[in-house]
Amino acid sequence: MSPTKNSAISLRPRGRQPTFDRDQALEVALDLFWRHGYDGVSIADLTDAIGIAAPSLYHAFGNKADLYREVLRRYGASGISADEIAAAPSGHDAARMMLERGIAAVTTPGKPLGCMVSSGLLMTSAENAELAAELRAIRSASRLALERRITSDVEAGLLPAATDAAALARFTMTVLQGLSVQALDGATAAELAPVVNSALKIFICPQSPAPASAGLASAPPGRARRR
């Protein structure tokens, strides 16, 4: 029988036990997926790097998507959780933790650049739509946790009543994902730190940005505003 998505890898496997180090295999798979993305890694790449045959990989981890999910759980264990966001002293502190850990994650020496979650499966084939949706859910969970924490600050009077908690949380996540892209383009931790400091200033005096057309509204009809 071919391996299926529902294979329970936590159960004791039948037949001969795997002869490789499972944790080490996960680290190898994590490195491959992190460097090349889900679509850029084949079963042959995985078996060659881990040093096992394809049947052994399927037996131990299920299919490629199941292995990727397990790798994501391993990768995400070092990130900030929704519980940590909720327990932060303020929304500002939660955002700072998210962004500072984001810098560390995408610029760690000896590790691949960028973030597996922030940049993972942003563009992929239709056959991977389910997996891409799971990654979007992970990103959304962090954003919604931050939104709830900011809302608590508004209700406690720590932020102005007019603060748009949803927009502020989405802004923070936009910066977080941008850190990953910038790291991939070669930005260092020292170069990204001022970006985070600038972004966090919005928590001091959060306000809605002026509409793009606001600057043109004051120009007399029929006359373009001189730049």
Side-chain angles (χ1 to χ4, degrees), residues 10 33 41 46 48 58-61 70 74 79 91 100 121 129 136 151 158 167-168 176 179 187 203-204 209:
S10 61
F33 284 131
V41 177
L46 290 164
D48 287 347
Y58 289 129
H59 181 73
F61 300 108
E70 188 161 354
R74 192 180 187 90
E100 289 183 345
L121 288 170
R136 286 196 299 274
T151 298
L158 299 177
L168 197 50
L176 181 62
L179 295 176
F203 281 87
I204 298 173

Side-chain angles (χ1 to χ4, degrees), residues 31-93:
D31 186 80
L32 280 175
F33 284 131
W34 193 348
R35 290 182 189 279
H36 306 292
Y38 182 80
D39 290 321
V41 177
S42 66
I43 291 294
D45 294 329
L46 290 164
T47 55
D48 287 347
I50 297 172
I52 59 174
S56 295
L57 185 141
Y58 289 129
H59 181 73
F61 300 108
N63 58 27
K64 176 184 166 183
D66 287 333
L67 174 56
Y68 187 74
R69 290 183 178 97
E70 188 161 354
V71 163
L72 276 178
R73 288 193 293 271
R74 192 180 187 90
Y75 178 83
S78 62
I80 183 169
S81 67
D83 288 341
E84 286 181 280
I85 293 172
S90 67
H92 176 274
D93 290 309

Side-chain angles (χ1 to χ4, degrees), residues 13 39 42 45 54 56 59 74 83 89 100 111 130 140 144 148 153-154 158 164 173 180-181 189 201 206 211:
D39 290 321
S42 66
D45 294 329
S56 295
H59 181 73
R74 192 180 187 90
D83 288 341
E100 289 183 345
K111 295 288 186 180
E130 182 180 351
S140 293
L144 293 173
R148 290 191 293 271
D153 284 356
V154 175
L158 299 177
D164 188 333
M173 291 302 296
S180 178
V181 175
K201 289 178 181 178

Side-chain angles (χ1 to χ4, degrees), residues 94-117:
R96 177 176 292 280
M97 281 194 296
M98 293 172 71
L99 296 176
E100 289 183 345
R101 289 195 195 180
I103 290 178
V106 301
T107 61
T108 301
K111 295 288 186 180
L113 298 174
C115 174
M116 279 187 68
V117 174

